[in-house]
Each structure stands twice: as C-alpha cells, then as structure tokens.
Amino acid sequence: MARKERIVELDALRAFAFFAVVFQHVIGVYMRKPGVDEMTAFLYGNLFHLFKFAVPAFVFITGLVLFYNYYDRVNYPGFIRKRFTEIVVPYAIWSLIYMVWRRDVTGWDVSALVSFVKSLVAGTASYHLWFVVMIFQFYLLYPLLLKGFKAAKQRLSGRAAQALAVAAAAFVYAGLMWVSARYLPAHPFRFDVAWLDAYLITCRDRNFLYYSFYFLLGGMVALALPAFRSFLQQRWPYLLIVFAAAYAYIGYELVRDSGGYMVNLNVATSLKPSMFIYTVAQLLLIYLLAVLVTKRDSRWTALFAMIGRNSYGAYLVHALVLTYVMKGLNLWDVTFSSMFGSVIAFLLCSSASIALSYGLAKLPFGALLVGAAEKKRTSAPGQADKQWKQAM
C-alpha cells in the first residue's frame, strides 16, 4: 500500500490545541486567586471561551488521522497494541507519579492497587487525565465506528444526501448536548447500576459519545481533504460571522448563568448546544489558520512539527510543571494575580512542558514516559506548497 503524504497542517493544529489546554488551566489557577475583581474575572472567562476548542480539536485530529491512515484496512491486534504502548502505558506511569506526588498512594498493598486501578479507569489521578480515558475509547471502538461510517456512506449517494446526513448528525448531537447541559442537571435521573450511572451520567465528560461528532467530522474531512481546504478558503467569512455571533452569545450565557457577580468557568462547558455551534465554527477557522501558517516549508513548519510530536508527553506533564511554575511566580508580586502573570505562567509552563517531553523522549525508555514520538515522514521539499495548491 502506497504511503500517503503527511498532513502538515495537523502539526500546527496540535500545537494550537496544546497551547489552548495550558492557557485554560492557567486561567483556572488565576481565577481562584484572592482579589480577582469582576472585570478581570469576566475577561478571564471570555479568554477561557477562546481556548475551549482544545479537546474537540484533539478529538477531531484523532478522527482525521485514523480515517486517513486506516480507512481501507485495520489490523486490530497490531493497531490496539501500538496505541496501548504509546498512550496507555505513559498514562499509567504518569497517573502513578501524580498519585505518589499528591500522597494518594502512601503504601504498596491491595488497597493502594485498587485505588490506582480505579484512578486509571476514571482518569482521576490528576485533573487533566480524564481526557486520556475519553480519547482512548475511540481507538478501542474504531473498527465498529469505521464499519458504521462505511455503511452510512454506501447508503448515501450524492452530495445532497450526505449533506443532509451531516445536518441530521449535528442535530442529534446538539440534542445530546441539551440533555447534558439542561435536562440532566434539572432532573434527578440515575441508573441503578453504579458503573452505568457513572459512565452515562456523573462522569459523562469522559464518555466518547459526548465528543463523537468531532471524531466523525475528522473522519469526513480525511476523505475529502482538498475539497475541505477549498471550502474553508471560500467560506471563511461566513464561518467568521457564525463564530462571532456564537462567541457573543456564550459570553452572555457566562454572565447569565454564573449565579452571581463572579464568573463561574463551569458554565463554559463544551457539552452544551451553544458551545457546540461555537466550537465547530472556531475549529474550522483554526484549521484554516493552521493551513495558512504551514503552506510554506519554514522554521515555523519545523517548530510545529516538533511540538506536535511531543504534544502528548507535554500534555501529561504540564499539570505538574504548572504547579512548580506557580510556586515560583507566587514569590513575585508582579505576577501574583495579574493578567500579565497569567501570560508569563502560560509561556513558562508550555515551553517547559514541551522541553521536558522532548528531553524525556530522547532517553532509552522515553517512549514509556511520553509515548513514542510519531515517526512521521519527512516532508519532501515544497510538500506544504503542493498540499496548498491542491486546495486551490
């Protein structure tokens, strides 16, 4: 089977998503600091909205890459073994590190083992590790998702039918977001089976179904990349209008639903209908930006490629790095609670996390700690140019 060209803009998209994750968590830290006034809180809340595309972007990238590389054939045992080694093993090691660091594990007995396994399954060893639990479900279920996707594609002949199917999927997904954001909080609905209740209700943020639209959107893009790039170039003004209108509305929701003068960042959840519309428009615009910044082979292209290769390891370590960055900045009054301080914290945490992931990957056992940096094919000279011209 001929090897496909690497999708160079995904490096930039991964980098943007990683930076967005870090800044979200920095904002979370600064929002909890004493002395934050109403105006600063509102500004942080709106910045938080700008960076909420991160998790949907990572899910979108996962769908795009899997459908792009494994649409025709999947050797499931080898496929899942590779993902287990590169995703689950580093995740398990860092879960243990976080639990020992937080003193959640103080001994090595049966109860400690049970606690560790529970944390692995639930993604609770640290506040950011839930994402790994959610994203790995797409790898586990990929053959089934692919089979369903192909069956739907075969029955939908013609662009009109396919467009209608996408619209119907978006409508159903928006309904699921309404159930998550409006119905479930207002109704004491629970399952009698504890694990089912946790998976579908109390811990639904790590249920793959609640992010499934972005995965399937990535799959659709993988099968029509040139046309997708062309669509973004032609329709970006309309996407910008939708993005601006949705951004204004979710800003209104943030004030309306915070329950007081201080902004509540929990209102900015991705799992609600308004954020779904906003996120899709923003994700498409950011993808276009990624295409634009990588359309020429340059130092930026190489930098984004390096960040993309090390983004998973950087994601795993950044919560620990942020803790020590904040310990240092808290000693300096200028950065204690100011907007300037949050920018400094973001720059230090993101750069240190990437550097640490890069360094750990160079060790003989580095793949166990940060995942194997993807062995991406080196772009031929002018490959970014070639991909750009294909969209013209």
Side-chain angles (χ1 to χ4, degrees):
M1 184 175 66
R3 304 190 74 177
K4 298 181 178 180
E5 288 183 322
R6 184 165 60 88
I7 308 171
V8 292
E9 63 263 26
L10 291 188
D11 293 329
L13 190 58
R14 282 192 186 94
F16 295 156
F18 169 71
F19 291 141
V21 165
V22 175
F23 217 137
Q24 283 183 66
H25 293 158
V26 168
I27 288 173
V29 170
Y30 274 81
M31 278 289 290
R32 293 191 296 269
K33 284 182 171 291
V36 176
D37 58 57
E38 183 177 357
M39 184 57 68
T40 302
F42 181 73
L43 180 57
Y44 275 136
N46 282 280
L47 281 174
F48 194 75
H49 279 153
L50 285 177
F51 301 123
K52 283 297 289 182
F53 72 91
V55 168
F58 279 128
V59 176
F60 170 84
I61 291 170
T62 301
L64 199 161
V65 170
L66 290 185
F67 276 77
Y68 187 75
N69 291 314
Y70 298 99
Y71 185 78
D72 296 322
R73 184 177 60 184
V74 183
N75 175 17
Y76 188 71
F79 170 85
I80 205 64
R81 182 171 58 249
K82 183 176 188 292
R83 270 66 197 183
F84 184 87
T85 303
E86 296 184 354
I87 297 174
V88 176
V89 172
Y91 162 69
I93 291 174
W94 281 98
S95 293
L96 181 60
I97 290 172
Y98 279 109
M99 292 182 72
V100 171
W101 176 64
R102 290 167 42 188
R103 294 183 174 84
D104 292 338
V105 174
T106 57
W108 304 105
D109 51 20
V110 174
S111 63
L113 179 60
V114 170
S115 177
F116 175 63
V117 172
K118 285 182 177 179
S119 292
L120 279 184
V121 173
T124 55
S126 182
Y127 59 82
H128 66 304
L129 295 180
W130 68 270
F131 168 77
V132 183
V133 173
M134 182 273 292
I135 201 73
F136 194 69
Q137 294 169 62
F138 288 107
Y139 293 101
L140 282 174
L141 300 173
Y142 178 65
L144 294 177
L145 296 172
L146 177 62
K147 185 176 181 179
F149 186 93
K150 285 183 174 181
K153 187 172 181 293
Q154 288 175 354
R155 294 184 181 183
L156 298 170
S157 58
R159 289 187 177 182
Q162 292 174 358
L164 184 61
V166 172
F171 181 79
V172 171
Y173 184 78
L176 181 62
M177 295 300 95
W178 177 83
V179 169
S180 176
R182 301 301 179 193
Y183 182 83
L184 291 179
H187 296 80
F189 178 77
R190 290 291 182 270
F191 288 98
D192 293 332
V193 181
W195 71 265
L196 191 62
D197 184 73
Y199 186 61
L200 295 178
I201 307 295
T202 58
C203 297
R204 59 187 179 276
D205 61 338
R206 57 210 69 188
N207 182 329
F208 81 100
L209 289 173
Y210 287 84
Y211 295 91
S212 56
F213 184 85
Y214 304 108
F215 180 83
L216 295 175
L217 179 62
M220 288 184 285
V221 168
L223 303 183
L225 266 173
F228 176 67
R229 295 181 185 123
S230 179
F231 167 81
L232 294 181
Q233 288 181 263
Q234 296 171 11
R235 305 297 182 184
W236 70 264
Y238 302 102
L239 293 172
L240 189 60
I241 292 172
V242 174
F243 166 76
Y247 183 69
Y249 182 75
I250 62 176
Y252 160 73
E253 282 186 322
L254 186 65
V255 175
R256 183 194 67 189
D257 298 338
S258 287
Y261 79 93
M262 190 59 72
V263 167
N264 179 5
L265 293 181
N266 290 327
V267 174
T269 175
S270 296
L271 305 183
K272 61 180 182 179
S274 56
M275 282 295 288
F276 166 52
I277 297 170
Y278 165 78
T279 301
V280 170
Q282 184 186 26
L283 183 56
L284 297 182
L285 289 170
I286 291 175
Y287 193 100
L288 177 60
L289 176 62
V291 171
L292 292 173
V293 298
T294 58
K295 70 176 183 176
R296 299 284 189 274
D297 292 322
S298 66
R299 291 182 179 179
W300 284 108
T301 306
L303 177 63
F304 286 134
M306 185 276 292
I307 295 172
R309 286 194 301 270
N310 293 280
S311 59
Y312 181 58
Y315 181 87
L316 292 174
V317 306
H318 86 272
L320 187 62
V321 171
L322 180 58
T323 299
Y324 288 100
V325 164
M326 291 311 304
K327 285 185 177 182
L329 292 181
N330 286 344
L331 301 176
W332 190 20
D333 291 340
V334 177
T335 61
F336 179 74
S337 61
S338 64
M339 185 64 68
F340 171 73
S342 67
V343 174
I344 296 299
F346 159 72
L347 293 174
L348 290 175
C349 180
S350 56
S351 58
S353 298
I354 293 167
L356 183 57
S357 178
Y358 180 84
L360 290 173
K362 297 296 183 182
L363 298 175
F365 51 87
L368 299 178
L369 295 173
V370 295
E374 188 179 355
K375 296 177 178 62
K376 298 177 180 176
R377 296 172 291 284
T378 304
S379 300
Q383 179 178 309
D385 256 342
K386 180 180 178 181
Q387 291 184 347
W388 174 256
K389 290 174 182 176
Q390 286 177 343
M392 299 297 286

